Structures are given as C-alpha cells and as structure tokens.
C-alpha cells in the first residue's frame, strides 16, 4: 500500500511539472499574452517579442519623411526610436495605430514613433487614411519600395525599438496594444 501511494505521489508531481512554464528570457522569442482579453479593448497583445537581433545596427535604408525628403534612421542617433512597419491594407496594423498615436503623444521627442508605411502608392494611400483616422501625433513616413520589410523579411506589423546608439533592442511581430502594460515594460528598455 505504501509503495502504491508513493508511486501515485510521484506520478502527480511529474504531471504537475509538465504544465510549468519556463522563466522569462529562456528563449529569444516571447509570445505576449493578451492584456485586454477581459477589458474589451479593441487592440490585443498578439505580438511576439524577438530579441535575436539585439545589438544589430539600424539599417541605412532610405525612406521618405513627412516633408517628402529622403532620410534614414541615422538622423535619430542620440535618442531611442520606435519604428513601426505597417500598411493601410493590413488589418492588425490599422488596429494598433490609435495606440501608437497615443504613445507618440505621450513620449513626444523623447521617443520618436516612426510609423513607416510599406504601401507602394505611398502618400496617395497614407494621407487619406491618416485624415480619416484623425491621428494627432503620428506623421506619414513612407517606404514605397517596401525596402524595410523586404530586407528584414518582416511581416506586418513589425515594430522595432532602437536605442540611442542606433542598435536594435527588440522587435515585436504582430499586433500590440502600445498603450498597455506589456508595451510599457518593453519600452522601459529604451536608452
């Protein structure tokens, strides 16, 4: 009888251990749980955090600034920057844009939020979308060659945090509530 109880206890412990999650940082990619599953918010954290590119220099790929001039991420050197790759036809991209707009208003010049459209028609598609959405803080940055997403092999939306030295900290692939607690914890890593 005693050995049967011991065997049952061992089996119970073994089964209970199978459900245990590994600690944070055990993998390069982390799937973020939905922060808004019960709150009813429109945007949920469905993104995956990828730290496998940490320390890589920001690409020198040219894109167009809101004034219509060619630029690169090098103009932001000396301050962290949040780069969001999106397109007007991308439903998860559009879902997270209002929270990016709120974040841009909250952070201001301390953390520029660059929403870089990958639409081939550029401002012809982005401007009407921005006007209809009524963004107060985001600006229409464009990459009509989709060079960023193609060169990085990135699906949309992808958001990348670069530190003040122009080095990647992390990237999030997928939709994120940029006004939520999970995003705040990630953004606290900006330097």
């Amino acid at each position: 009888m005693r050995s049967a109880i011991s065997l049952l206890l061992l089996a119970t412990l073994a089964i209970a251990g199978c459900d245990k999650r590994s600690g944070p940082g055990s993998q390069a990619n982390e799937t973020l749980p939905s922060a808004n599953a019960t709150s009813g918010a429109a945007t949920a954290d469905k993104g995956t955090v990828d730290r496998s590119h940490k320390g890589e220099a920001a690409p020198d790929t040219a894109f167009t600034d809101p004034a219509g001039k060619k630029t690169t991420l090098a103009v932001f050197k000396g301050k962290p920057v949040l780069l969001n790759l999106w397109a007007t036809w991308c439903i998860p991209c559009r879902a997270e844009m209002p929270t990016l707009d709120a974040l841009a208003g909250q952070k201001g010049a301390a953390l520029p939020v660059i929403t870089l459209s990958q639409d081939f028609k550029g401002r012809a598609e982005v401007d009407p979308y921005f006007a209809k959405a009524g963004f107060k803080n985001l600006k229409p940055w464009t990459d009509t060659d989709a060079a960023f997403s193609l060169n990085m092999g990135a699906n949309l939306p992808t958001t990348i945090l670069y530190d003040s030295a122009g080095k990647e900290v992390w990237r999030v692939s997928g939709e994120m509530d940029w006004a939520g607690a999970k995003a705040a914890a990630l953004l606290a890593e900006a330097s």
Side-chain angles (χ1 to χ4, degrees), residues 1-189:
M1 173 90 168
R2 195 173 197 166
S3 62
I5 292 173
S6 295
L7 187 57
L8 184 58
L9 184 58
L10 274 172
T12 303
L13 288 173
I15 292 170
C18 291
D19 193 50
K20 191 174 183 179
R21 292 183 179 180
S22 58
S26 63
Q27 296 181 1
N29 297 332
E30 307 163 32
T31 300
L32 297 174
S34 176
N36 298 314
T38 58
S39 71
T43 301
D45 294 333
K46 298 176 184 173
T48 301
V49 179
D50 178 356
R51 297 176 187 277
S52 66
H53 300 277
K54 185 173 183 164
E56 290 181 10
D60 59 1
T61 306
F63 55 96
T64 306
D65 71 12
K69 297 180 182 169
K70 287 289 185 185
T71 190
T72 66
L73 289 173
V75 301
F76 297 100
K77 195 161 188 171
K79 66 174 68 175
V81 64
L82 189 68
L83 175 70
N84 174 264
L85 304 176
W86 73 286
T88 58
W89 49 263
C90 169
I91 293 170
C93 299
R94 292 192 329 236
E96 72 178 1
M97 292 294 277
T99 64
L100 284 165
D101 188 49
L103 177 66
Q106 177 190 11
K107 297 293 185 180
L111 179 67
V113 176
I114 308 302
T115 51
L116 185 57
S117 168
Q118 302 295 285
D119 286 289
F120 293 124
K121 293 184 181 176
R123 298 285 295 267
E125 290 185 354
V126 174
D127 286 350
Y129 173 75
F130 268 49
K132 183 177 179 183
F135 298 131
K136 294 176 176 53
N137 304 297
L138 296 179
K139 305 290 183 231
W141 303 79
T142 57
D143 174 14
T144 56
D145 297 327
F148 267 86
S149 58
L150 291 173
N151 291 341
M152 293 179 153
N155 291 324
L156 301 180
T158 292
T159 305
I160 306 164
L161 178 66
Y162 292 101
D163 65 17
S164 58
K167 304 291 185 186
E168 184 169 327
V169 178
W170 47 253
R171 63 180 67 179
V172 173
S173 298
E175 183 180 343
M176 170 72 85
D177 174 6
W178 293 102
K182 299 288 183 189
L186 287 169
L187 293 168
E189 300 177 35

